[in-house]
Amino acid sequence: MNIDVKEVIETQSDIQVFVDFDNVGWKKLNGIEALPDNTIMSFYVNSGNPGRIECKEYKDLLARYNGRHKEYVVPAGKNSVDFRIIYDAMECVLHGNGKYIYIVSDDQGFDGAIKAMQDTHNDQFLAIKRCADIRKVIDDYKAMQITKCDDIKPFLDEIYGSYRSGFILQKMKELCEYEEAKE
């Protein structure tokens, strides 16, 4: 199957999720139903493994998902799926499509390219990152939706534990008040 880059770019939404389906197990896709409706999931498989997008588990997964999705069968080759995902993500970045770009994969090989995209386009996107699973995508997206200071506490709990998070939140509030007073 040939991939039409123009189609990938023109149909972007606020949230674009690229799934390295050769590298992500079914359990890592649990929670897909919690993604916002304005999400586009793109599933990439190597042409040697097209059964991943033809099986019952995949159909069941999509039945729980409310957003749009696409499947791409990438010609076989060492890291061909990875290169295709980076290429498509970079096209989104270069064309300013969407606000959130996530790559779902356990493969840390994506991290260098993602860092380069973050460094050069950090003012255009709310997220350009790799997540190991869908739950991490959802957590990151929810964190970016916070509009009140106290709503950040659950995320701080996760990072620092409830013992330290209260202190850190209070310190953040004090620093913000201090900065506002200086102005």
Side-chain angles (χ1 to χ4, degrees):
M1 167 191 277
N2 290 330
I3 299 173
D4 183 355
V5 175
K6 188 174 181 185
E7 177 190 342
V8 171
I9 294 169
E10 289 179 351
T11 60
Q12 297 307 307
S13 70
D14 283 350
I15 307 163
Q16 176 66 46
V17 180
F18 299 94
V19 179
D20 180 359
F21 214 27
D22 286 341
N23 187 287
V24 174
W26 296 108
K27 288 183 181 180
K28 301 244 177 172
L29 298 172
N30 284 342
I32 194 170
E33 61 277 359
L35 287 167
D37 292 349
N38 62 338
T39 302
I40 296 178
M41 299 272 297
S42 297
F43 295 91
Y44 294 78
V45 296
N46 187 293
S47 62
N49 190 20
R52 274 302 285 243
I53 58 174
E54 298 168 353
C55 67
K56 180 184 181 325
E57 290 91 347
Y58 182 68
K59 289 179 176 85
D60 291 345
L61 176 78
L62 292 180
R64 297 189 322 263
Y65 174 61
N66 297 319
R68 292 182 291 164
H69 73 281
K70 301 176 184 185
E71 296 100 6
Y72 299 103
V73 179
V74 180
K78 184 171 172 61
N79 295 319
S80 61
V81 168
D82 299 355
F83 291 129
R84 188 66 217 199
I85 289 171
I86 287 297
Y87 179 82
D88 289 348
M90 193 64 205
E91 284 290 322
C92 289
V93 168
L94 291 174
H95 290 89
N97 293 318
K99 296 177 185 171
Y100 303 87
I101 296 175
Y102 297 101
I103 296 174
V104 177
S105 179
D106 278 330
D107 188 347
Q108 294 177 354
F110 286 107
D111 294 350
I114 290 170
K115 173 95 171 82
M117 286 186 266
Q118 290 169 340
D119 289 348
T120 57
H121 294 85
N122 64 355
D123 58 335
Q124 292 174 289
F125 295 88
L126 296 172
I128 303 174
K129 68 183 293 183
R130 178 181 63 84
C131 296
D133 58 52
I134 292 295
R135 294 266 182 223
K136 300 265 190 269
V137 169
I138 294 164
D139 289 347
D140 185 79
Y141 178 76
K142 285 181 179 177
M144 296 307 294
Q145 304 306 304
I146 292 173
T147 58
K148 294 187 288 188
C149 197
D150 288 331
D151 290 345
I152 200 164
K153 183 150 181 354
F155 299 100
L156 294 174
D157 286 350
E158 223 175 276
I159 297 167
Y160 299 106
S162 60
Y163 166 72
R164 303 260 344 232
S165 66
F167 169 77
I168 292 168
L169 180 59
Q170 185 57 40
K171 190 69 170 169
M172 288 171 57
K173 287 179 179 179
E174 290 170 9
L175 290 171
C176 288
E177 287 173 8
Y178 173 76
E179 290 294 320
E180 287 176 4
K182 277 178 44 177
E183 293 175 358

